[in-house]
Amino acid sequence: PEMNSYEKLLYLCIQVHRMVEKEIPMDLLASMYASQVVKKGDKHLVDQNRYYYRIVNQLVDEGQRRGQITRDLPYYEVTRLYVLAERALIYDYCISDGSYSLEENTKKMMPLLFGGVKTAE
């Protein structure tokens, strides 16, 4: 509970990407992401009612209340930015055919992609 909310979001992304890298076959992952680009069918990755979005929204709200995440954007825009960065990392991993560690790349890149929302405290 005492952990910085911005750090919680980074931790969540790293853990999700660790699980994706270790547990989801590349063909299945690539197929899932490709299916989201097609205009018809279920767009489950952008379904804001998913449990995943509720967790991210909760952490962003907590971080804004604590002054750890910028209030210059509404919580839903910060969530959108987080999810955009998280998906971008997985998409790049897919088009690179898993030629590097998703977890390690996320540790390096997510702070760069999402760091603009962190406050100086």
Side-chain angles (χ1 to χ4, degrees), residues 39-90:
K39 292 191 181 227
K40 54 187 161 187
D42 184 25
K43 299 282 191 183
H44 61 276
L45 288 180
V46 293
D47 178 0
Q48 304 230 347
N49 293 316
R50 286 173 46 212
Y51 182 66
Y52 171 78
Y53 274 95
R54 291 194 308 263
I55 291 171
V56 174
N57 281 332
Q58 179 182 349
L59 291 173
V60 169
D61 178 60
E62 173 187 276
Q64 287 182 321
R65 282 186 286 106
R66 290 179 172 182
Q68 299 164 340
I69 293 175
T70 185
R71 291 184 186 138
D72 293 344
L73 297 169
Y75 79 91
Y76 57 86
E77 287 290 331
V78 176
T79 294
R80 184 172 175 265
L81 178 60
Y82 174 87
V83 172
L84 175 71
E86 189 265 342
R87 280 194 312 247
L89 291 167
I90 290 181

Side-chain angles (χ1 to χ4, degrees), residues 15-32:
Q15 295 306 311
V16 167
H17 286 189
R18 172 186 289 158
M19 186 273 303
V20 165
E21 182 176 5
K22 293 186 182 330
E23 303 295 330
I24 301 177
M26 179 56 65
D27 290 344
L28 178 59
L29 185 64
S31 177
M32 183 177 72

